Amino acid sequence: MKVFISGFGTVGQGTMETILVKSMDIQRITGDQVQIVGVTDSKSYAVKADGVCSFSVLGSKNMSGKVGPDMKDGKSTVDIMKMVEFDTLIEASPTDVETGGEGLKNIRWALENGKNVITVNKGPLALEFRELMDLAKKNGCMIRFEGSVGGAMPIINLCNDALAGQKIKSIQGIFNGTCNFILSRMDGGLPFDQALKEAQQLGYAETDPTNDIEGYDSASKVVILANSVFGMDAKFKDVNVTGITAITSEAIALARENGMVIRLIGEVSKGKLEVSPRLIPKGHPLSISGSLNTALINTDLAGPITVSGRGAGRKETASAILSDLVAIMLAQKN
Amino acid sequence: MKVFISGFGTVGQGTMETILVKSMDIQRITGDQVQIVGVTDSKSYAVKADGVCSFSVLGSKNMSGKVGPDMKDGKSTVDIMKMVEFDTLIEASPTDVETGGEGLKNIRWALENGKNVITVNKGPLALEFRELMDLAKKNGCMIRFEGSVGGAMPIINLCNDALAGQKIKSIQGIFNGTCNFILSRMDGGLPFDQALKEAQQLGYAETDPTNDIEGYDSASKVVILANSVFGMDAKFKDVNVTGITAITSEAIALARENGMVIRLIGEVSKGKLEVSPRLIPKGHPLSISGSLNTALINTDLAGPITVSGRGAGRKETASAILSDLVAIMLAQKN
């Protein structure tokens, strides 16, 4: 299995490390080896048809801030992908929910050319889900995206495999660890601005936190769940979104007096695609504190299933990519 | 896919209902139909080579307390299985952790004759796990058992599929809803005997509750997890078991004063197979109240993953069997 990695930030680097560290395990489970034959970031690239150069590629990123000795100089990632034979694209470039960005172009090209795709880039999935699934089907390749929702928390493959045959009636969840961290700190008495500043200092929130605190990141995940688990044809604009910026210390205190907390909940159910702050009773599965993600899945047979895990992080997101990679390798073995 | 159901109590009946109700969904997902061609309980049986007689079979159980018009009259379930062609045995007869009971004989015969097996019967798995896996491999058939641990709570397939490629470092969990119900009622001030009586009145505990309250049921599940997720070769007798019968109201009160609860925890980790009551801080994932099952899975990449769901019940256990059935049908399609 020859792999091309697009995007070499935290997730791309973590994925490469994970593939290298887990190479023996992958071979034991799938009977096949993984070679990383190409990597790009926004500025530079490295390709090597026989893979395994990966260690030095990784090293050069650490030394010079670029993935390889070769600068893109106007070439796109698609141009680079054309330079090398590979089987599976791992798309980990930055999410752009306005246009889908280069990630959407990369995924389209890969599927059109019969390559499997594993993406944690939410933009293309939130914008053009149905088109991408149809493209994969038409070209006989697979597209998987466990890491796009909930990071290390298993949710998409859990619903579609472990709960196969059941009707998923609704999913409600905490899909943004940054917001949950901020709200948890506000539970402890901090005002919003200070809680946000703390999240930024700890690296949970970005310098421009809009995407998280306005609920856009959670909304992308709601769209992906609606399409992949509920078979809807939803787009980002279909989600009713309210973020957490208007939540005051007074509101939090009032909730607390009534045995409740405020949490930013994403929900997919019949006729409802929503991200909004909600009052949750303490002790309820969705009342958790800290930066974990959690989801409450309501099914017709199993009843309620709750799952939680780390919603982001280098190794954590790589773990979701690894499970998708193993699933593709096992499917192609048959 | 022709299916034979051994055991027609709550789980067997629930499984038949589920297969009938979900027949269209199963066909949509797998492209194949399921026919139930045989059913046995301890006293009687029904076989019909073309299946679909299932509705009337089900009816006769409700009317007369037996599964079909035909009495076993000394015939074993293996004898009945020989009377009809089928592909997959669903083994749901009562668990016997001393000898494996008829369930072990049924599973052995099925695998030796190239039939797939789905079992929720814990006895055979707790006693002869490695032998059964080897038998399945040798005869080119599949054996799955998601419902044997945690009922509707996904755990085995979650660890082996959704977390594929990761090292599972430990699993700690609440694997017996009856004990957790009793301990939760004791949190509220009831003494053990009264909490047990209430559990029996509500149908959570059996008339002879030994298997639950002495921790044997949890220990079976620990063995199954050790073997199926950790690749050990553990037997029931290898588990260090302490039940909940010696827990006093005073111990519960002392825990409460220190912000803790007492829960019966099963653990599999390096060098440790244990079921014992433990002090758990309130708010910890393993501090949950009520009859749910929950598991805390520690992995090398994803970190901690928590999952919870209903540990028992007619539809709930059938949901786990359904996911195994779909997985087998999809695997055989390839």
Side-chain angles (χ1 to χ4, degrees):
Chain A
M1 170 72 66
K2 292 183 174 181
V3 166
F4 190 104
I5 300 177
S6 158
F8 209 62
T10 305
V11 173
Q13 292 176 55
T15 299
M16 180 180 278
E17 281 173 17
T18 298
I19 289 174
L20 297 174
V21 168
K22 290 287 183 182
S23 59
M24 300 293 288
D25 292 302
I26 296 172
Q27 193 167 0
R28 180 178 49 77
I29 299 167
T30 68
D32 192 11
Q33 284 182 310
V34 181
Q35 292 185 321
I36 299 165
V37 298
V39 187
T40 61
D41 68 5
S42 55
K43 295 188 292 283
S44 62
Y45 71 93
V47 291
K48 193 149 187 293
D50 61 359
V52 197
C53 71
S54 326
F55 282 109
S56 62
V57 172
L58 190 66
S60 73
K61 170 80 179 185
N62 291 339
M63 302 295 284
S64 63
K66 55 194 175 69
V67 302
D70 302 304
M71 298 308 289
K72 276 169 132 178
D73 289 333
K75 289 193 283 291
S76 68
T77 291
V78 168
D79 295 329
I80 316 292
M81 285 194 284
K82 288 177 183 165
M83 294 163 62
V84 64
E85 279 290 318
F86 69 97
D87 309 297
T88 299
L89 166 66
I90 296 177
E91 168 55 47
S93 62
T95 287
D96 172 348
V97 288
E98 301 281 320
T99 68
E102 208 184 14
L104 180 55
K105 291 179 196 149
N106 297 343
I107 295 175
R108 274 197 185 120
W109 184 88
L111 294 175
E112 279 162 0
N113 288 274
K115 321 288 189 196
N116 307 300
V117 171
I118 298 168
T119 178
V120 292
N121 185 333
K122 294 175 286 293
L125 296 170
L127 291 167
E128 300 297 347
F129 188 89
R130 204 50 57 196
E131 178 207 326
L132 298 179
M133 297 305 119
D134 290 346
L135 257 185
K137 194 169 180 186
K138 187 176 139 204
N139 293 288
C141 39
M142 295 177 74
I143 175 166
R144 293 180 73 104
F145 40 87
E146 177 63 57
S148 66
V149 179
M153 173 181 79
I155 172 95
I156 295 167
N157 301 337
L158 180 76
C159 289
N160 290 335
D161 301 337
L163 303 178
Q166 298 199 54
K167 183 172 166 54
I168 311 279
K169 297 198 285 190
S170 67
I171 299 178
Q172 296 163 312
I174 293 171
F175 299 122
N176 186 279
T178 308
C179 287
N180 213 61
F181 175 84
I182 293 171
L183 292 170
S184 304
R185 294 299 286 140
M186 290 178 75
D187 290 344
L190 279 190
F192 177 82
D193 289 344
Q194 245 177 283
L196 171 59
K197 194 174 282 179
E198 194 176 306
Q200 287 170 321
Q201 282 164 350
L202 289 168
Y204 289 138
E206 312 205 20
T207 318
D208 176 0
T210 311
N211 201 31
D212 290 327
I213 63 179
E214 293 294 356
Y216 303 149
D217 174 70
S218 297
S220 303
K221 292 161 179 173
V222 161
V223 173
I224 294 169
L225 289 175
N227 291 331
S228 61
V229 175
F230 293 78
M232 296 183 189
D233 186 13
K235 309 252 170 173
F236 184 75
K237 62 178 172 42
D238 300 328
V239 188
N240 220 324
V241 189
T242 313
I244 62 167
T245 52
I247 296 175
T248 60
S249 298
E250 288 71 27
I252 300 264
L254 193 61
R256 187 170 44 229
E257 281 166 31
N258 289 282
M260 315 276 254
V261 292
I262 298 179
R263 294 290 179 260
L264 185 68
I265 304 296
E267 174 169 340
V268 187
S269 57
K270 206 181 166 201
K272 195 172 206 175
L273 294 179
E274 189 174 293
V275 172
S276 61
R278 297 198 198 168
L279 284 167
I280 308 284
K282 280 182 191 168
H284 186 280
L286 297 178
S287 70
I288 57 162
S289 295
S291 63
L292 288 182
N293 279 206
T294 193
L296 176 58
I297 306 159
N298 272 299
T299 72
D300 58 346
L301 298 176
I305 303 277
T306 308
V307 64
S308 71
R310 291 187 186 148
R314 184 188 184 96
K315 273 195 309 181
E316 289 80 2
T317 306
S319 78
I321 292 172
L322 179 64
S323 73
D324 280 342
L325 184 62
V326 167
I328 289 174
M329 291 172 76
L330 284 174
Q332 303 219 321
K333 190 178 153 191
N334 289 321
Chain B
M1 169 73 66
K2 292 184 174 181
V3 166
F4 190 104
I5 300 177
S6 158
F8 209 61
T10 306
V11 172
Q13 292 177 54
T15 299
M16 180 181 278
E17 282 173 16
T18 299
I19 289 174
L20 297 174
V21 168
K22 291 287 185 181
S23 59
M24 300 293 288
D25 292 303
I26 296 171
Q27 193 166 1
R28 179 177 49 76
I29 298 168
T30 67
D32 192 10
Q33 285 182 310
V34 181
Q35 292 185 320
I36 298 166
V37 297
V39 188
T40 61
D41 67 7
S42 55
K43 296 188 293 283
S44 62
Y45 71 94
V47 292
K48 192 151 189 289
D50 61 358
V52 198
C53 71
S54 325
F55 282 109
S56 60
V57 172
L58 190 66
S60 72
K61 170 81 179 184
N62 291 338
M63 302 294 284
S64 63
K66 54 194 176 71
V67 302
D70 302 305
M71 298 308 288
K72 276 169 133 179
D73 289 333
K75 288 192 283 292
S76 69
T77 292
V78 168
D79 295 329
I80 315 292
M81 285 195 283
K82 288 177 182 165
M83 294 163 62
V84 63
E85 280 290 317
F86 69 97
D87 309 298
T88 299
L89 166 66
I90 296 178
E91 168 53 48
S93 62
T95 286
D96 173 348
V97 288
E98 301 281 321
T99 68
E102 207 184 14
L104 179 55
K105 291 179 197 149
N106 297 342
I107 295 175
R108 274 198 185 118
W109 184 88
L111 294 175
E112 279 162 1
N113 288 275
K115 321 289 189 195
N116 307 300
V117 171
I118 298 168
T119 177
V120 292
N121 185 334
K122 294 176 286 293
L125 296 170
L127 290 168
E128 300 298 346
F129 188 89
R130 202 52 56 197
E131 178 207 326
L132 298 178
M133 297 306 120
D134 290 346
L135 258 185
K137 195 170 179 185
K138 187 177 140 204
N139 293 289
C141 39
M142 296 178 74
I143 175 165
R144 293 180 71 104
F145 40 86
E146 177 63 56
S148 67
V149 180
M153 173 181 78
I155 173 94
I156 295 167
N157 301 337
L158 180 76
C159 288
N160 290 336
D161 300 338
L163 302 178
Q166 298 199 53
K167 183 174 167 52
I168 312 279
K169 297 197 285 189
S170 67
I171 299 179
Q172 295 163 314
I174 292 170
F175 299 122
N176 185 279
T178 307
C179 287
N180 213 61
F181 175 84
I182 293 172
L183 293 171
S184 303
R185 295 299 286 140
M186 289 178 76
D187 289 344
L190 279 191
F192 176 82
D193 290 344
Q194 246 179 280
L196 171 59
K197 193 172 282 179
E198 193 176 306
Q200 286 170 322
Q201 282 164 351
L202 290 169
Y204 289 139
E206 312 205 22
T207 318
D208 176 0
T210 311
N211 201 30
D212 289 328
I213 62 179
E214 293 293 356
Y216 303 149
D217 174 71
S218 298
S220 302
K221 293 162 179 174
V222 161
V223 173
I224 295 169
L225 290 174
N227 291 331
S228 62
V229 175
F230 292 78
M232 295 182 190
D233 186 14
K235 309 250 170 175
F236 184 75
K237 62 179 171 45
D238 300 329
V239 188
N240 218 323
V241 189
T242 313
I244 62 167
T245 52
I247 296 175
T248 59
S249 298
E250 290 70 29
I252 300 263
L254 193 61
R256 186 170 44 230
E257 280 167 30
N258 290 283
M260 315 277 254
V261 292
I262 298 179
R263 293 290 179 260
L264 186 68
I265 304 297
E267 173 168 341
V268 188
S269 57
K270 207 183 166 200
K272 195 172 205 173
L273 294 179
E274 190 174 294
V275 172
S276 62
R278 296 198 198 167
L279 285 166
I280 308 284
K282 281 182 190 166
H284 187 280
L286 297 179
S287 70
I288 58 163
S289 295
S291 63
L292 287 182
N293 278 206
T294 192
L296 176 58
I297 306 158
N298 272 299
T299 72
D300 59 345
L301 298 175
I305 303 278
T306 309
V307 64
S308 71
R310 292 186 186 148
R314 185 187 183 95
K315 274 194 311 182
E316 289 79 2
T317 306
S319 78
I321 293 173
L322 179 65
S323 73
D324 280 343
L325 185 62
V326 167
I328 289 175
M329 292 173 76
L330 284 174
Q332 303 219 321
K333 190 177 153 192
N334 288 320

